[in-house]
Amino acid sequence: MSEERKPRGVEREVLLNPFVAYGLIKGFFSARKLCKVLAEQGLEFESTGECVKQLRRLSNRLGELKGFDERLVARILEGSSLELKTDLAVLSVDLGAYPEVLKLVSEIRGRARFLSVIQSVSSITIVIDREHAGHFIERLGAHVLYTANNVSAVIMVSPDEVINTPGFTSVVTSLLSLHGINILQLLSCHRDTIMIMSEEDSRKAFQLLSELSR
């Protein structure tokens, strides 16, 4: 069998879709039914019986981990508040701009309506209100790698428990992805989960998350 036609593993296929893995653990559908669906989607395996054995093994292993507690996640969502910041811009600049970024941040400290700066391995990402974005772009010049204007930030402020709760962010982002909402930047600051997206998507996200956090 060629490398291109090498069968994908049953466990790997399920783990790539957390929705399916969760449904398997909770018993929302049978392992045999899932094997049938996987076969219809082109997944190859030795036999249905072997597929069922692998899925049951996976379900038992994941069930024993007990890392995800949907009741705790639900309580945190209910205890969270939402804020929407509009008219923002996103800038990504190379690491060589670091000294200038520090100067700019110092200059507008306390005056910016919104400001977030994150340094990663290869670049620095700045999310800033539109009033100051042009000044940043002008000063950083050739260091600017990417810009996105007219974006918004949906900010979810949660109880302290969110810091040590597995699965909270995945529930939020999964809900948004199911509704076709694209997150441009995902940031975390203590109890705040900050999601940067287009203005249109931000309105949809705010409504969806408001329904969960009531």
Side-chain angles (χ1 to χ4, degrees):
M1 183 176 291
S2 66
E3 183 66 25
E4 290 76 11
R5 290 182 56 80
K6 184 177 179 181
R8 305 185 302 274
V10 172
E11 290 192 10
R12 180 176 182 273
E13 194 72 11
V14 173
L15 290 174
L16 284 174
N17 191 331
F19 300 111
V20 174
Y22 181 70
L24 181 66
I25 298 170
K26 301 297 287 186
F28 294 153
F29 43 76
S30 69
R32 187 168 296 275
K33 174 65 175 178
L34 179 54
C35 287
K36 181 181 178 182
V37 173
L38 292 174
E40 290 172 350
Q41 293 180 347
L43 183 66
E44 301 176 27
F45 38 78
E46 188 176 308
S47 66
T48 300
E50 178 58 31
C51 174
V52 168
K53 284 200 309 187
Q54 290 186 46
L55 290 179
R56 286 176 178 167
R57 226 171 17 238
L58 174 62
S59 178
N60 291 335
R61 190 171 77 244
L62 293 177
E64 291 171 358
L65 294 176
K66 302 185 184 304
F68 177 68
D69 186 339
E70 63 270 29
R71 293 167 298 181
L72 179 55
V73 170
R75 285 201 299 272
I76 292 173
L77 284 169
E78 291 168 0
S80 298
S81 61
L82 287 173
E83 295 182 23
L84 179 62
K85 301 289 187 180
T86 59
D87 294 327
L88 306 180
V90 176
L91 291 73
S92 289
V93 300
D94 63 56
L95 293 176
Y98 188 73
E100 190 64 23
V101 169
L102 290 180
K103 290 180 184 177
L104 285 164
V105 169
S106 177
E107 289 172 9
I108 69 165
R109 185 176 55 190
R111 293 191 287 118
R113 183 168 49 83
F114 186 91
L115 175 62
S116 172
V117 180
I118 294 182
Q119 178 186 334
S120 65
V121 175
S122 60
S123 63
I124 302 168
T125 294
I126 305 161
V127 185
I128 190 169
D129 57 69
R130 190 173 58 180
E131 299 91 304
H132 294 91
H135 182 58
F136 268 61
I137 293 172
E138 181 181 351
R139 287 272 294 270
L140 296 173
H143 291 290
V144 177
L145 305 172
Y146 165 84
T147 61
N149 297 309
N150 301 317
V151 300
S152 299
V154 176
I155 306 169
M156 179 168 274
V157 183
S158 303
D160 290 339
E161 291 84 354
V162 71
I163 299 171
N164 297 310
T165 301
F168 175 80
T169 303
S170 68
V171 169
V172 173
T173 57
S174 295
L175 173 69
L176 299 184
S177 68
L178 283 172
H179 286 80
I181 295 172
N182 181 47
I183 300 174
L184 300 173
Q185 302 282 340
L186 180 62
L187 317 170
S188 178
C189 182
H190 190 44
R191 298 184 297 120
D192 300 355
T193 303
I194 306 168
M195 294 160 283
I196 308 298
M197 54 191 76
S198 70
E199 291 190 358
E200 181 181 357
D201 278 349
S202 71
R203 289 191 293 271
K204 296 178 186 176
F206 191 86
Q207 181 177 352
L208 286 167
L209 296 174
S210 293
E211 294 173 358
L212 285 182
S213 58
R214 287 174 184 166

